[in-house]
Amino acid sequence: MGCICFKSLRLKPPPSITSTVVDSQDDDDGDDGGQYPLIFREFSFEQLRIATDGFSPGNIVSEHNEWVPNTVYKGKLGDGRRIAVKRFQRLSWPDPFQFIKEAEAVGRLRSEHMANLIGYCSDDSERLLVAEFMPNSTLSKHLFHWEKRPMKWQTRLKVALHTAKALEYCNDKGINLYHDLNPYRILFDKVGNPKLSCFGLMKNSHEGKNHSTNLAFAPPEYLRLGTLIPESVTYSFGTLLLDLMSGRHIPPNHALDLFQTKNYLVLVDSALAGQFSDEDRTELMHIASRCLKTEPEERPSIRFLMSTLSRLQRRSELWPTSVKRLMPSSSNKKTKHATEPLKLTPFGDACLRADLCTMHEVLEKLGYGADDDVISNEFSFQMWTGEMQENMDHKNHGDAAFRAKDYDTGIEFYTEFMYGAPTVSPTVLARRCLCYLMTEMFSEALSDAMEAQVASPEWPIPLYLQAACLFKLDMEAEAKEALRHGSALESY
């Protein structure tokens, strides 16, 4: 098939936007700094094989597992241009003409807020997409696994606003579905500007499988019907707003409960203290809760979200530094509580001492009592046994490995269970957290402990586990604060 060329819709380059998200990476994997025209074209499979070093595992840049089977590689063309290549599973698109037609539709889009599609390959049973390469990784990394500093409030607002602008642009061009919007779909260019990946504009297969991540985050209509509608994108955008506000991946059902009880301490990242007004926080929470409405027609439009986020970003730029200085600092809080003696339970004391063996004994004896309140209104383990026996087997195997202190196997089976579970089990999260601690995967352990707290806000165990994780990460002040909160919750 001949070369298909579309001229760029952008008449002049967009203004440079200084970013505070990430530091540009000047290593061999970074952007080469060259300027290349955004021309959509067909690539041969051999060209892409060479560009990715034979689809080397070392060039994989995407999340990939059984539930995310299509893999994204970084590559480099003969002219030096860096590219991202998405390789679909074989037979995902048996009809090459349908694949090419959809690729061409996405290839016509050109937005400064997107990592744009620049080509495709349809060769025998191989189906691949080629996009602009973004060298500074994903929102997931910089929001959940940051190394130098947490993402600032203004930057998080910019991510949300640019994503809304990208989605609205696609709507204006007649493409109103975005499949599986999540923090892995937001990328950062060489100067740290957020870009929405174009790969989400095409289904994962001709059969229309649209949602490949944890079903706890899927829109209600997808769970009912197995398909997406334009309003489903708004729902997924709401989950993205939750991620940006909290710095954690909070399941929507639990977030709605926290909205109703005004449990803002869990919903807002503590690292954002003093960076915004109460009014802005409340407004962002309100629009996030509207995005997560069960009935699609009750959700706001992307255009409305774009307008609201634009106003919030302007206000955040005017939020005075003097006000921030007047806000009570975390160091003052720590000083205030430093002299207060902690009354710790045996589990809390074990977390203070990082006595992982005692922590294991206590968690094993506790059983699954903490899950009762979480699942009683939606699902029961008896119901799961009847309808999801295979998934329950994963939990049972995980429990057996946990008892046997085979922590690697425990992680594997608990992870399998949580991918298929219809609701979050705080006990499984707590147990997998300890498994991660035992295998020295401290950041992963902390993430589980925080998610367990979201799932069961009145349960003190997650706070104690967070303390143990923070001690392991050499964050002693934060660890002591978590111990204090756990002790206070237990006393209450």
Side-chain angles (χ1 to χ4, degrees):
M1 183 171 178
C3 177
I4 301 172
C5 299
F6 300 114
K7 292 183 179 180
S8 172
L9 298 176
R10 190 167 58 203
L11 299 179
K12 58 183 180 179
S16 176
I17 304 175
T18 302
S19 172
T20 58
V21 180
V22 293
D23 297 320
S24 184
Q25 299 172 345
D26 296 324
D27 55 24
D28 292 339
D29 294 332
D31 187 79
D32 46 77
Q35 297 295 322
Y36 298 92
L38 293 180
I39 299 175
F40 184 80
R41 53 170 288 199
E42 180 181 13
F43 291 87
S44 70
F45 183 75
E46 182 64 12
Q47 282 178 299
L48 299 182
R49 187 192 66 79
I50 294 172
T52 58
D53 296 326
F55 298 100
S56 167
N59 284 331
I60 294 176
V61 293
S62 64
E63 179 192 29
H64 57 287
N65 51 47
E66 180 182 348
W67 295 272
V68 190
N70 302 318
T71 308
V72 180
Y73 300 84
K74 63 184 177 183
K76 191 173 185 179
L77 296 174
D79 61 1
R81 181 175 190 170
R82 296 277 179 183
I83 56 173
V85 180
K86 180 173 182 177
R87 187 181 189 184
F88 289 90
Q89 277 191 315
R90 288 180 179 273
L91 302 180
S92 295
W93 294 86
D95 183 348
F97 298 104
Q98 182 186 3
F99 174 78
I100 293 170
K101 181 181 178 181
E102 294 205 21
E104 288 178 356
V106 176
R108 290 187 176 91
L109 303 178
R110 290 293 178 262
S111 169
E112 65 184 286
H113 302 301
M114 290 174 56
N116 294 289
L117 192 68
I118 60 173
Y120 72 95
C121 171
S122 179
D123 189 340
D124 195 17
S125 62
E126 293 284 353
R127 305 287 182 264
L128 304 97
L129 297 175
V130 183
E132 295 178 286
F133 179 67
M134 298 293 117
N136 270 316
S137 197
T138 66
L139 175 62
S140 178
K141 175 183 176 181
H142 297 297
L143 188 61
F144 304 138
H145 309 292
W146 51 271
E147 297 175 357
K148 296 181 180 179
R149 59 187 181 274
M151 190 177 285
K152 295 180 180 179
W153 173 256
Q154 285 189 12
T155 303
R156 299 185 197 204
L157 281 178
K158 183 168 75 170
V159 169
L161 177 58
H162 283 210
T163 303
K165 287 181 175 180
L167 293 172
E168 182 60 22
Y169 168 80
C170 294
N171 286 343
D172 288 343
K173 298 299 179 181
I175 299 180
N176 55 14
L177 288 184
Y178 192 93
H179 308 283
D180 207 7
L181 178 63
N182 62 67
Y184 288 98
R185 299 287 200 185
I186 313 297
L187 312 170
F188 293 94
D189 67 12
K190 64 181 179 180
V191 295
N193 288 320
K195 307 276 187 176
L196 180 64
S197 171
C198 62
F199 291 151
L201 294 169
M202 284 187 65
K203 300 186 293 291
N204 284 327
S205 72
H206 74 290
E207 296 174 346
K209 182 180 179 183
N210 302 309
H211 222 276
S212 55
T213 55
N214 193 324
L215 292 180
F217 297 86
E221 58 273 12
Y222 180 80
L223 297 177
R224 291 195 302 264
L225 306 173
T227 58
L228 295 180
I229 57 177
E231 291 79 8
S232 304
V233 182
T234 302
Y235 186 93
S236 295
F237 191 86
T239 68
L240 183 67
L241 289 179
L242 288 179
D243 294 339
L244 291 166
M245 283 191 297
S246 66
R248 299 190 293 277
H249 205 34
I250 299 179
N253 284 344
H254 297 293
L256 291 173
D257 292 338
L258 295 171
F259 281 132
Q260 292 173 357
T261 59
K262 297 185 179 180
N263 196 340
Y264 298 145
L265 290 177
V266 176
L267 281 170
V268 178
D269 192 339
S270 60
L272 297 174
Q275 297 185 32
F276 52 83
S277 67
D278 289 344
E279 180 184 359
D280 287 358
R281 178 198 65 188
T282 301
E283 184 166 5
L284 193 61
M285 288 184 175
H286 176 65
I287 64 171
S289 65
R290 287 187 60 194
C291 290
L292 299 175
K293 291 286 189 181
T294 301
E295 297 302 325
E297 63 271 14
E298 296 180 2
R299 300 169 197 160
S301 66
I302 296 296
R303 186 179 296 276
F304 171 84
L305 294 171
M306 189 173 68
S307 173
T308 302
L309 289 166
S310 294
R311 186 176 69 255
L312 286 173
Q313 187 180 56
R314 288 194 299 271
R315 287 214 301 248
S316 73
E317 292 169 353
L318 299 175
W319 180 239
T321 305
S322 58
V323 173
K324 297 176 187 177
R325 287 198 296 265
L326 292 173
M327 298 290 288
S329 68
S330 57
S331 59
N332 290 339
K333 292 180 181 178
K334 291 167 190 170
T335 302
K336 175 182 176 182
H337 296 294
T339 58
E340 296 180 6
L342 290 178
K343 297 179 181 179
L344 298 175
T345 60
F347 187 80
D349 182 64
C351 291
L352 174 63
R353 294 181 289 106
D355 183 351
L356 301 182
C357 292
T358 299
M359 292 164 62
H360 176 269
E361 292 176 7
V362 174
L363 280 182
E364 187 176 352
K365 291 177 181 177
L366 282 176
Y368 280 84
D371 286 14
D372 292 344
D373 292 337
V374 176
I375 65 173
S376 59
N377 293 329
E378 299 180 37
F379 301 94
S380 68
F381 280 152
Q382 289 75 19
M383 178 180 173
W384 290 5
T385 303
E387 298 181 6
M388 304 178 69
Q389 184 61 52
E390 182 180 356
N391 197 47
M392 282 300 297
D393 287 343
H394 292 320
K395 185 189 80 70
N396 293 335
H397 288 314
D399 289 340
F402 186 80
R403 287 192 298 271
K405 301 182 181 179
D406 181 358
Y407 300 112
D408 287 324
T409 301
I411 290 171
E412 178 183 349
F413 280 111
Y414 282 145
T415 301
E416 293 273 359
F417 167 73
M418 285 190 286
Y419 267 114
T423 191
V424 176
S425 164
T427 301
V428 168
L429 285 168
R431 291 187 172 202
R432 191 176 69 169
C433 170
L434 185 60
C435 291
Y436 280 135
L437 280 171
M438 289 290 192
T439 53
E440 299 187 351
M441 300 171 69
F442 305 134
S443 296
E444 291 82 355
L446 179 60
S447 178
D448 273 3
M450 296 173 81
E451 190 172 347
Q453 181 191 359
V454 172
S456 186
E458 305 303 320
W459 193 33
I461 293 295
L463 284 163
Y464 288 139
L465 286 170
Q466 288 175 43
C469 299
L470 291 164
F471 278 126
K472 291 290 187 180
L473 292 166
D474 296 323
M475 300 172 69
E476 184 174 347
E478 291 82 356
K480 289 180 178 178
E481 189 77 357
L483 280 175
R484 185 182 66 80
H485 283 298
S487 176
L489 184 59
E490 203 147 32
S491 300
Y492 179 78

